[in-house]
Amino acid sequence: MVPQHEQGSRTSRAVQFARTHHPRKVLDRLPQPRSIRYLRAALVSTGVLAERDELLIRFEEWTSSVVEEVQEPAERQVVRAFTTWFYLRRLRRRSPRRRPMTSGGYNFMRYEIRAAIRLLTWLRERGASLDTCTQSDIDQWLSSEESGRYAIQNSLSWVVSCGHAHGIKVLFRVSSRGQEMLPEADQRWDLSRRLLHDTTIATAERVAGCLVLLYGQPCTRIAALTTSHVTKTHDRVELRLGREPLVIPEPLAGLVMELVRTRQGHAAVGRTDSTPWLFPGAFPGRPMDGVSITARLNRIGIRARAGRNTALMELAGKLPAVVLSGLLGIHVNTATLWAQEAGNTRPGYAAEVARREVSKN
């Protein structure tokens, strides 16, 4: 019979072993090539590991390493505080299920942090710092050829609010929302007809391209669609992009239902119909990211950003901003700006009518 104190010691060692050799801890200690990320996704999809926001974990690891690359201690302290309190605090608070981090957001935040580090280096090389720099210094930075020179608005706003800098801001030049458009007015419809009828194109690309060209959807939002966004009744197919569902006409409705039935990522583990994503990705249990969808559309001759801008411009010229917002899932302020860009007078007319009613009373 094993003495009681020895049993307690064995239990303690077993608990310690389980803690240090848990699959997640073992994987986290390894380098993270594509094969390890695939293995982690497979373990999550089969229930061995709990789901987590993998892009957020990668972003945390990246920020930790990039902060250590900053040589000057004072600059390193500012960059560490900025990444922790401006980005990571906000990202950790939001729900990973309702608002998961996207590849586009991941890349853009890294771009902003790199730009902030370059600004600190640029100031130091000119004998200045955040404490001593003036608006003139910032204006010179903005007129320079430095990469990412306009990606410092968030970092500058944060350092000013925290007292690291004083009396400086970034003045951006306003550009047209419809700046990058399809070159010909009919090209949007020609591309849409091709997607609707060309059976040599994969169904996923056909549906994604139509969502861009007909409904002005960004590829990051398309990537986040699940089968729960699609509703099939006896006489119609509905797709929920915003607050109100859209009735999808044929033949696009048939393509959407075909995608629901046949969707499959590049790599399947277990049942291929167990994933909720409308556009499954290369990793088990994960969706395709927006960058991959953009690349696939580019390969079939569709420029996603230009196509989306063209669609939004035309839709905003026909629909009131509040309707556009509810149907397409864009913020009402954004919809209003698109309506103004498209020359839609409905928002202004409605505001004028409201003012008249108030003045009468």
Side-chain angles (χ1 to χ4, degrees):
M1 186 173 181
V2 180
Q4 186 173 1
H5 71 278
E6 189 172 335
Q7 286 182 347
S9 178
R10 288 182 179 179
T11 301
S12 177
R13 289 197 299 271
V15 170
Q16 183 64 27
F17 180 86
R19 287 175 177 171
T20 57
H21 291 77
H22 188 275
R24 186 180 297 283
K25 294 182 180 295
V26 172
L27 289 177
D28 286 343
R29 287 196 293 267
L30 294 174
Q32 299 296 310
R34 185 179 178 86
S35 58
I36 295 298
R37 289 191 285 127
Y38 178 90
L39 175 60
R40 183 191 300 280
L43 293 174
V44 170
S45 69
T46 54
V48 175
L49 295 179
E51 187 174 358
R52 68 181 186 181
D53 193 334
E54 295 296 339
L55 273 179
L56 174 56
I57 299 300
R58 286 171 59 189
F59 185 66
E60 290 175 336
E61 294 171 348
W62 181 85
T63 55
S64 178
S65 64
V66 80
V67 165
E68 294 306 316
E69 294 175 7
V70 180
Q71 299 298 317
E72 292 294 322
E75 295 175 8
R76 187 187 314 123
Q77 183 178 356
V78 171
V79 174
R80 179 181 288 112
F82 171 60
T83 57
T84 300
W85 297 107
F86 184 82
Y87 286 120
L88 292 175
R89 183 168 179 251
R90 181 181 57 186
L91 291 170
R92 289 164 178 163
R93 282 183 168 183
R94 70 186 188 183
S95 168
R97 288 188 175 274
R98 293 183 60 187
R99 297 179 60 196
M101 193 172 181
T102 65
S103 57
Y106 171 78
N107 291 331
F108 185 71
M109 285 185 284
R110 294 200 308 172
Y111 183 68
E112 285 193 322
I113 293 169
R114 286 291 192 192
I117 294 173
R118 280 194 292 271
L119 172 61
L120 292 174
T121 303
W122 185 88
L123 288 171
R124 174 166 36 83
E125 290 173 349
R126 284 156 181 77
S129 67
L130 286 176
D131 290 332
T132 63
C133 77
T134 65
Q135 185 64 47
S136 177
D137 293 319
I138 299 303
D139 292 341
Q140 289 182 42
W141 160 267
L142 294 175
S143 63
S144 71
E145 297 299 321
E146 292 288 336
S147 174
R149 60 188 180 278
Y150 285 105
I152 59 167
Q153 187 174 32
N154 283 330
S155 58
L156 277 192
S157 298
W158 183 84
V159 296
V160 170
S161 68
C162 294
H164 297 296
H166 309 277
I168 57 175
K169 57 184 177 180
V170 178
L171 300 176
F172 284 109
R173 294 166 293 183
V174 178
S175 60
S176 170
R177 289 189 153 267
Q179 181 175 331
E180 187 178 354
M181 308 284 286
L182 295 176
E184 299 177 8
D186 293 336
Q187 189 175 3
R188 173 178 171 237
W189 297 111
D190 292 340
L191 290 170
S192 299
R193 279 191 288 270
R194 177 189 167 210
L195 291 172
L196 290 171
H197 301 292
D198 189 345
T199 57
T200 64
I201 302 174
T203 305
E205 279 92 332
R206 296 171 73 185
V207 173
C210 285
L211 291 178
V212 170
L213 293 169
L214 298 178
Y215 300 105
Q217 292 298 294
C219 290
T220 52
R221 187 173 296 158
I222 292 172
L225 291 174
T226 68
T227 55
S228 65
H229 290 90
V230 180
T231 303
K232 174 72 167 67
T233 63
H234 68 283
D235 63 342
R236 64 184 182 182
V237 173
E238 293 180 344
L239 179 63
R240 182 169 50 81
L241 301 174
R243 296 184 304 275
E244 303 295 331
L246 278 165
V247 177
I248 305 298
E250 294 290 353
L252 180 56
L255 290 175
V256 171
M257 295 311 301
E258 180 183 341
L259 182 62
V260 170
R261 291 190 300 269
T262 63
R263 70 196 189 284
Q264 184 173 344
H266 298 295
V269 175
R271 290 168 45 118
T272 59
D273 61 350
S274 61
T275 177
W277 306 109
L278 202 56
F279 296 87
F283 292 98
R286 301 303 307 159
M288 194 182 303
D289 59 38
V291 174
S292 298
I293 292 179
T294 300
R296 292 175 74 165
L297 292 180
N298 285 338
R299 284 197 292 270
I300 59 173
I302 295 174
R303 292 161 47 207
R305 178 171 295 181
R308 177 178 183 254
N309 284 347
T310 304
L312 285 176
M313 183 69 74
E314 294 191 21
L315 292 169
K318 300 173 182 178
L319 297 173
V322 66
V323 175
L324 197 67
S325 172
L327 290 176
L328 302 188
I330 60 178
H331 195 280
V332 67
N333 292 343
T334 302
T336 300
L337 291 173
W338 275 107
Q340 293 171 353
E341 186 78 20
N344 189 339
T345 60
R346 288 184 179 89
Y349 175 75
E352 179 62 28
V353 170
R355 283 193 292 269
R356 290 175 187 171
E357 292 299 322
V358 172
S359 62
K360 288 179 182 179
N361 298 331

